[in-house]
Amino acid sequence: MDQFKDWKTNLDRFFGQEFWGDFEGMMKPSIPAVNLYQYDNELLCFVNIPGMNHPKNVDVLVDHSTLTLRGKIEINQRGGHQIKSEIADGTFERSIDLPFPVIHDKVEATYKHGLLIIQLHRYISDSTRQRPITIRHLEDE
């Protein structure tokens, strides 16, 4: 075990600490797993949250063009010795950059069979629409 520690320490010195952080980020999947689909004025987000007893265990927050998910996955298996661990459990927080701003008070979310489905609608500002400008006519004096 000490040999592994020495080996890692030497590689840390050679590559730098950030190298391993970046590598771990590539290897470790994001929790929870998300599929995001874009339509003209709508986004559909599927979030894989296994073992969730009730949707109240998850917060869905929308801020302009960011979707944030916070919650807890609980797998309450008592006894036994875990020999394989592929399903992440515990608390999570994940922010997802959206391709366009969305209406924060028009978000619909449903949970069924371990999938949280979030429907988001594009925010279209009134200021981006073309409006006719009234021209004031100034008389020649």
Side-chain angles (χ1 to χ4, degrees), residues 14-55:
F14 183 74
F15 287 113
Q17 201 64 39
E18 287 98 32
F19 173 82
W20 295 110
D22 292 345
F23 187 69
E24 184 183 16
M26 290 188 318
M27 297 297 288
K28 194 190 296 180
S30 297
I31 305 298
V34 170
N35 282 8
L36 187 61
Y37 301 92
Q38 179 177 340
Y39 301 90
D40 288 341
N41 292 315
E42 191 178 355
L43 294 169
L44 207 51
C45 184
F46 289 82
V47 186
N48 186 24
I49 306 178
M52 187 168 70
N53 297 334
H54 196 280

Side-chain angles (χ1 to χ4, degrees), residues 36-85:
L36 187 61
Y37 301 92
Q38 179 177 340
Y39 301 90
D40 288 341
N41 292 315
E42 191 178 355
L43 294 169
L44 207 51
C45 184
F46 289 82
V47 186
N48 186 24
I49 306 178
M52 187 168 70
N53 297 334
H54 196 280
K56 71 176 190 266
N57 294 346
V58 174
D59 293 326
V60 176
L61 307 158
V62 176
D63 180 21
H64 195 59
S65 60
T66 303
L67 172 66
T68 301
L69 306 164
R70 269 187 269 188
K72 189 171 190 176
I73 298 172
E74 293 182 276
I75 301 173
N76 294 320
Q77 179 60 36
R78 303 278 185 246
H81 177 68
Q82 186 175 23
I83 57 171
K84 192 164 190 66
S85 174

Side-chain angles (χ1 to χ4, degrees), residues 133-139:
I133 304 298
T134 304
I135 301 171
R136 255 186 10 204
H137 183 204
L138 299 176
E139 301 280 337

